[in-house]
Amino acid sequence: MPVNMRILSIIALFLLMCVTCAAQNKNAFLEADPSTLQQTLDKFPTLFNSEDWKLINQKAETLFKREEYSEAENFSLKGRILAEKLQDNLLIARSFHQLGRIQTQVFEYKKAKESFEQSAIFYTRTAKTPQNKLEVGYLLKDWAFIYSNPEFINQSRDLNTALFYLFQA
């Protein structure tokens, strides 16, 4: 094998290893705690994209379905951090909505209410597509569930708001 071919083979192998290591490091950052992810995003703002948000979101949904709520909340928070860094209002709204659903399952109704309010704010900043309208409908349904929940009504002592959201749903 000529010397030039050996050099080209070594360069190709080196580039392949660099790409593989970067992909593994990226996955490690996605699995890390939210503060580490935030620091990574501050240092390398173009490292992640909306496809990475989808992976985080799917992981959170899987954990939510398995009733592993603390881990699901952790991944939902990471998704929100990434969506905010990407400055994508739709992804931010979806992240807040997902977080609110998780908080509802662990009976943190006040936090869920705040998450749903944030989600609604970011949904209003997105385009009005049929899919977004459907997502807003689900948001209203989840919001109405909180306001119609007897535990939340007893905590907040706000029956009028509960009846309003039941009517909206």
Side-chain angles (χ1 to χ4, degrees):
M1 183 183 265
V3 175
N4 289 341
M5 287 301 289
R6 286 184 185 162
I7 293 173
L8 288 175
S9 298
I10 290 171
I11 292 172
L13 181 62
F14 175 74
L15 290 174
L16 179 65
M17 288 173 46
C18 288
V19 169
T20 304
C21 289
Q24 289 173 347
N25 287 339
K26 192 174 182 180
N27 287 337
F29 285 123
L30 291 176
E31 293 289 328
D33 62 291
S35 61
T36 304
L37 179 65
Q38 180 68 50
Q39 291 171 355
T40 304
L41 287 170
D42 290 340
K43 290 179 185 174
F44 308 104
T46 59
L47 181 63
F48 300 102
N49 56 31
S50 60
E51 292 300 316
D52 298 314
W53 179 88
K54 287 179 185 176
L55 290 173
I56 292 173
N57 187 50
Q58 289 171 351
K59 179 79 172 181
E61 282 296 319
T62 302
L63 292 166
F64 179 76
K65 289 176 183 173
R66 282 196 232 147
E67 298 180 358
E68 297 176 25
Y69 300 122
S70 63
E71 281 297 311
E73 188 173 358
N74 192 22
F75 272 91
S76 183
L77 178 60
K78 286 190 257 186
R80 193 187 83 223
I81 290 169
L82 180 56
E84 288 172 351
K85 199 62 161 180
L86 294 171
Q87 298 177 346
D88 188 329
N89 289 330
L90 182 59
L91 298 183
I92 296 170
R94 288 175 178 169
S95 297
F96 272 116
H97 188 178
Q98 182 182 57
L99 182 61
R101 288 178 34 238
I102 294 166
Q103 290 166 335
T104 301
Q105 291 298 314
V106 294
F107 310 110
E108 294 178 350
Y109 296 118
K110 289 185 181 183
K111 287 182 180 179
K113 176 184 160 243
E114 292 169 8
S115 295
F116 289 148
E117 287 171 356
Q118 290 295 319
S119 180
I121 289 168
F122 284 100
Y123 271 127
T124 60
R125 297 177 185 170
T126 61
K128 305 285 189 264
T129 65
Q131 182 181 1
N132 293 1
K133 289 179 182 179
L134 182 63
E135 289 179 23
V136 170
Y138 282 121
L139 174 64
L140 283 173
K141 175 192 70 84
D142 292 337
W143 214 339
F145 172 77
I146 286 178
Y147 275 100
S148 63
N149 190 300
E151 290 180 28
F152 184 77
I153 292 171
N154 288 337
Q155 288 174 4
S156 65
R157 306 267 187 239
D158 192 1
L159 185 60
N160 290 334
T161 307
L163 293 174
F164 171 77
Y165 279 105
L166 279 175
F167 179 74
Q168 291 294 320

